[in-house]
Amino acid sequence: MADLEVDLDDEFHGADFFDEEDTQSSEDGDFDSWDDTDEADDQEDSAEEDYEEEYPEEEEYDSEYSDEFEEESEADDDEEESEEFDEEDDSYDDESDVPQERELQVEEFSTRSGRKRSRREKKESTQKQSARPASRSARPTKIAYVPISEEELDEKIVPIQKKKHKGLKVTGIIAAILAVTAGCAYGAVTYYYADRFFEGTYINGIDCSNKTAYEVEQAIASTVEAYSIEVTSRNQDPQTISGSQIGYQYMSDGEVLNLLKQQKPYEWVRGFMETRSYNTQENVTFDKTLLQNEVKALNCAQPENQVEPENAYVAMNGDEFTIVPETEGSKLKVKEAYKALDAAISGSQTSIDLGSTPDVYAVAAVTSEDSTLQATRDAYNNYTKASITYTFGDQTVTLDGSTLKNWLQFDEKGQLVQDDASFTQHVKDFVAQLASEHNTVGTTRSFNTTSGRTVSVYGSAYGWKIDQDAEAAQLTEEIRTGTQTTREPVYSMRANAYGYNDIGSTYIEVDLSSQHMYYYQGGSIIFDSDIVSGDIRYDDRATPPGIFTLYYKKSPDVLRGAKKPDGTYEYETSVTYWMPFNGGIGFHDATWQAYFGGDRYTYAGSHGCINMPLDAAATLYSIIDTNVPIVCFY
């Protein structure tokens, strides 16, 4: 605009804006019609003078830059003549706007030119008045406007570029209005959700969208009013306990309100995009005394419906022992049932299965998982596996599961009755039976003598004798471990041969009637000798008949009789070879005997020993063995 003002100023600088006739008439004519405006003019002149006093260089500025601008204007005229304005020119968006724009420029130009001339006229008038006499008026003369052609306007007016973003401003205003409107709407909805749950909110399965905390709690309370719980029990039809039967009612604890407080109202949009689900503890109350009465009234709590549980047990199944599982029974523990229902109702459960609730029913004391029961099963299965075969020479006796099963006891339902004492007694009886059939100690045998006689000989110190206690213990252990074996019984005494005549073919024969002895080995005599046996005149000195074995042998030794009260012995006799076999009776040398054999034992016999010549005693001493039977007979 500064350029425009300078341009216009330069264009009309020095022009004759005053008509001479008008000037004359103004100077000489009547100014009465201007009287009314004198005061306003004086104020305007005063303002003009003040302006010139404040800005004295303005005129100089105008003069200084007028010539310079004129030169620039001429250069611009040449440039504008060669410049074409088309649809692509950045100065105009649309050719249809040029006339209107130019019209505005002309109007603005005219207005500015008028103001400029007015100021110049006032200045010149002031200068003239100052040269005139004081009686002349200082009012301005009429202004004559000089018309200007359209071509001149094109040369002088600098085109004003159209504002390109006028449409954007309108759009921005509309957008701002919409934003404010949307903001207000958003704020209104935010305010709405300050005390309400968002859309898509569920609490305990209840749709709480757009509801206040109070409305939600009322909805929860309405569901509580219709509360009931179904009770399922063993061997009984389900029964229902209603809330009204136990005084069931809802009590607010503020948890719903706390959920609402945790909600941020300005996030209400999220409610339309997602679902939020909460579970709260429904704070309810009910009459526990009424609940106790309802539990006692349940069918499963009635005495006629109580069945005791049964323990698991071991039973025989075919050829092996198995565990029969325990039975649950239906014996209800009413106190525990009440506790379970109390907890279920407090948690707002709508059903409960007492049959699967721990500790509500009595349970079996012994279950199939019991380690002791499993050990018993395994032990008795070993019984069926055990097989012990006893040998008695050519004879055998076998004990196996088929016999052992008969030693066990079972009740009417097949349950194994553990009775260790009874089983132990069966074992002892079995061993005793073996002893009675195969022991030979203490029995009388028929013996064929060298002289051809057959005598009966009683053997109390020789033969087969089973150690029953030791054998029973070993047999019990083998049964329990399922041992399969073939063996002899445990003996306390052994004979040379099995069978009725257990003497065998190696033995010493002492014929007390003929006073002679023989040593048989493998059925052949390897040694014999005359002897002197006990003096038959004395009962306590006669050599007793029977079957014996050698205890030991010793050389030399001293033989002593019974000890007397004074500490001395009835006799003390030194011998070179001593071989005892029946208490204090044995073989030894007797150098004091005059002879051996015959009838010497009838009047000069020994105290019961078998006297032998020294050399015979030495020979026997060298060949006798401890396990060789010694058969004495008359």
Side-chain angles (χ1 to χ4, degrees):
M1 293 301 295
D3 292 342
L4 180 63
E5 290 178 1
V6 172
D7 206 6
L8 294 174
D9 192 29
D10 186 55
E11 175 66 24
F12 296 100
H13 185 68
D16 188 5
F17 288 94
F18 302 95
D19 184 81
E20 292 182 357
E21 293 181 1
D22 292 340
T23 304
Q24 288 293 327
S25 63
S26 298
E27 290 178 354
D28 298 335
D30 187 6
F31 293 92
D32 293 339
S33 61
W34 293 68
D35 290 340
D36 295 336
T37 60
D38 285 345
E39 184 177 354
D41 292 341
D42 290 342
Q43 292 176 356
E44 184 176 354
D45 293 340
S46 178
E48 183 73 16
E49 290 174 1
D50 292 341
Y51 177 84
E52 291 179 355
E53 289 177 1
E54 185 176 1
Y55 303 101
E57 70 277 13
E58 181 177 357
E59 183 178 357
E60 184 180 353
Y61 172 83
D62 294 338
S63 177
E64 179 182 355
Y65 284 93
S66 63
D67 296 336
E68 180 181 353
F69 186 79
E70 185 176 0
E71 295 175 0
E72 292 178 359
S73 177
E74 292 175 359
D76 292 338
D77 291 341
D78 295 337
E79 183 178 351
E80 288 173 357
E81 290 175 359
S82 61
E83 184 177 3
E84 292 182 4
F85 294 96
D86 52 14
E87 292 179 357
E88 297 179 357
D89 195 323
D90 294 338
S91 300
Y92 298 97
D93 293 333
D94 191 343
E95 289 183 357
S96 62
D97 293 339
V98 173
Q100 183 179 0
E101 191 72 27
R102 182 168 296 177
E103 183 179 345
L104 292 173
Q105 289 177 349
V106 170
E107 182 179 352
E108 184 178 357
F109 175 80
S110 300
T111 303
R112 289 179 177 276
S113 297
R115 287 200 301 268
K116 198 74 166 180
R117 284 194 297 269
S118 178
R119 286 197 303 267
R120 289 183 180 277
E121 288 173 358
K122 285 182 181 182
K123 185 176 180 182
E124 291 176 358
S125 177
T126 302
Q127 291 175 352
K128 288 180 179 181
Q129 288 179 5
S130 62
R132 295 175 185 174
S135 60
R136 293 183 66 86
S137 174
R139 287 177 294 186
T141 60
K142 294 181 181 180
I143 299 173
Y145 290 94
V146 179
I148 187 169
S149 66
E150 190 171 328
E151 290 78 7
E152 290 175 328
L153 280 176
D154 290 340
E155 294 176 358
K156 300 301 180 178
I157 296 176
V158 178
I160 300 174
Q161 293 184 356
K162 180 183 176 182
K163 296 181 181 178
K164 299 172 63 176
H165 302 297
K166 183 177 180 180
L168 294 177
K169 286 185 178 180
V170 174
T171 303
I173 292 172
I174 295 174
I177 293 173
L178 293 176
V180 171
T181 303
C184 293
Y186 185 86
V189 177
T190 299
Y191 178 77
Y192 175 80
Y193 281 109
D195 63 347
R196 296 174 182 273
F197 284 100
F198 291 161
E199 186 72 28
T201 302
Y202 291 84
I203 299 178
N204 294 352
I206 299 174
D207 186 359
C208 303
S209 303
N210 306 314
K211 287 184 174 64
T212 64
Y214 174 77
E215 291 171 340
V216 172
E217 289 194 332
Q218 290 300 309
I220 294 174
S222 65
T223 62
V224 167
E225 291 176 359
Y227 174 79
S228 65
I229 185 170
E230 184 180 70
V231 183
T232 304
S233 58
R234 292 177 185 172
N235 306 326
Q236 300 296 322
D237 294 331
Q239 292 180 269
T240 300
I241 298 177
S242 65
S244 60
Q245 290 176 285
I246 57 175
Y248 189 89
Q249 59 183 346
Y250 175 76
M251 298 291 290
S252 174
D253 60 355
E255 190 172 357
V256 173
L257 182 59
N258 287 336
L259 287 176
L260 181 61
K261 289 180 179 179
Q262 293 173 12
Q263 180 178 276
K264 296 179 176 60
Y266 58 83
E267 294 181 347
W268 58 268
V269 177
R270 295 177 60 185
F272 295 90
M273 297 185 293
E274 62 183 28
T275 298
R276 297 185 180 185
S277 181
Y278 304 97
N279 287 315
T280 64
Q281 182 69 34
E282 293 181 355
N283 187 25
V284 296
T285 61
F286 55 91
D287 192 321
K288 296 184 181 295
T289 301
L290 292 177
L291 177 60
Q292 290 177 6
N293 295 335
E294 292 299 324
V295 172
K296 293 177 182 178
L298 292 172
N299 292 335
C300 58
Q302 305 312 306
E304 62 271 16
N305 295 325
Q306 306 296 302
V307 177
E308 292 285 348
E310 293 185 0
N311 293 336
Y313 60 89
V314 175
M316 194 70 183
N317 184 11
D319 293 333
E320 67 175 354
F321 289 93
T322 59
I323 293 177
V324 177
E326 69 280 3
T327 59
E328 292 180 328
S330 60
K331 184 174 178 59
L332 185 73
K333 294 191 286 186
V334 178
K335 185 176 181 180
E336 298 300 327
Y338 164 75
K339 290 180 180 179
L341 274 167
D342 179 70
I345 294 172
S346 298
S348 300
Q349 293 179 218
T350 58
S351 64
I352 183 174
D353 184 2
L354 295 179
S356 60
T357 304
D359 302 328
V360 170
Y361 284 94
V363 296
V366 180
T367 67
S368 58
E369 302 300 322
D370 186 80
S371 58
T372 302
L373 189 66
Q374 292 176 352
T376 301
R377 175 200 60 193
D378 296 341
Y380 282 95
N381 273 330
N382 286 334
Y383 291 3
T384 62
K385 297 176 184 177
S387 178
I388 300 94
T389 299
Y390 294 95
T391 60
F392 301 95
D394 296 335
Q395 298 180 7
T396 59
V397 176
T398 300
L399 175 65
D400 57 19
S402 60
T403 301
L404 292 171
K405 288 190 297 183
N406 298 329
W407 296 359
L408 303 175
Q409 297 184 28
F410 300 89
D411 61 14
E412 63 280 357
K413 63 180 182 180
Q415 178 178 352
L416 175 67
V417 178
Q418 285 186 268
D419 189 344
D420 292 341
S422 175
F423 186 79
T424 300
Q425 188 59 49
H426 277 290
V427 172
K428 289 181 177 180
D429 292 344
F430 176 77
V431 173
Q433 182 65 28
L434 288 179
S436 65
E437 293 176 357
H438 300 281
N439 280 356
T440 57
V441 173
T443 63
T444 299
R445 305 163 183 82
S446 294
F447 180 74
N448 297 319
T449 67
T450 304
S451 64
R453 294 184 303 130
T454 299
V455 297
S456 295
V457 182
Y458 174 79
S460 60
Y462 175 80
W464 298 104
K465 184 177 183 180
I466 297 174
D467 187 338
Q468 295 187 39
D469 291 341
E471 174 57 32
Q474 181 171 335
L475 177 59
T476 299
E477 182 62 23
E478 290 172 345
I479 291 172
R480 292 186 178 182
T481 56
T483 302
Q484 297 180 358
T485 185
T486 299
R487 64 176 177 85
E488 289 183 339
V490 179
Y491 289 110
S492 59
M493 293 180 64
R494 299 181 65 88
N496 282 351
Y498 290 102
Y500 180 74
N501 186 5
D502 56 0
I503 295 175
S505 60
T506 298
Y507 58 89
I508 296 173
E509 176 185 334
V510 179
D511 188 344
L512 299 176
S513 297
S514 62
Q515 291 287 291
H516 199 85
M517 64 158 294
Y518 306 91
Y519 194 131
Y520 281 85
Q521 189 172 47
S524 300
I525 298 173
I526 60 172
F527 170 78
D528 69 289
S529 173
D530 287 334
I531 60 168
V532 174
S533 61
D535 194 337
I536 62 173
R537 295 175 300 172
Y538 307 99
D539 292 337
D540 59 346
R541 292 185 181 183
T543 302
I547 304 173
F548 312 96
T549 55
L550 182 68
Y551 296 157
Y552 62 90
K553 55 186 179 180
K554 185 179 180 182
S555 176
D557 200 0
V558 177
L559 305 180
R560 295 182 175 87
K563 194 174 186 178
K564 296 185 292 185
D566 60 1
T568 62
Y569 296 94
E570 291 181 353
Y571 63 90
E572 288 184 322
T573 303
S574 297
V575 296
T576 304
Y577 305 101
W578 170 236
M579 295 163 279
F581 59 83
N582 182 14
I585 298 172
F587 299 106
H588 64 83
D589 56 291
T591 55
W592 60 86
Q593 290 288 359
Y595 64 95
F596 297 89
D599 58 356
R600 187 168 175 76
Y601 74 102
T602 59
Y603 60 89
S606 67
H607 288 79
C609 290
I610 304 299
N611 295 168
M612 299 177 66
L614 180 60
D615 56 347
T619 300
L620 180 61
Y621 188 88
S622 63
I623 63 175
I624 194 171
D625 195 3
T626 55
N627 62 347
V628 175
I630 302 171
V631 181
C632 299
F633 60 90
Y634 286 95

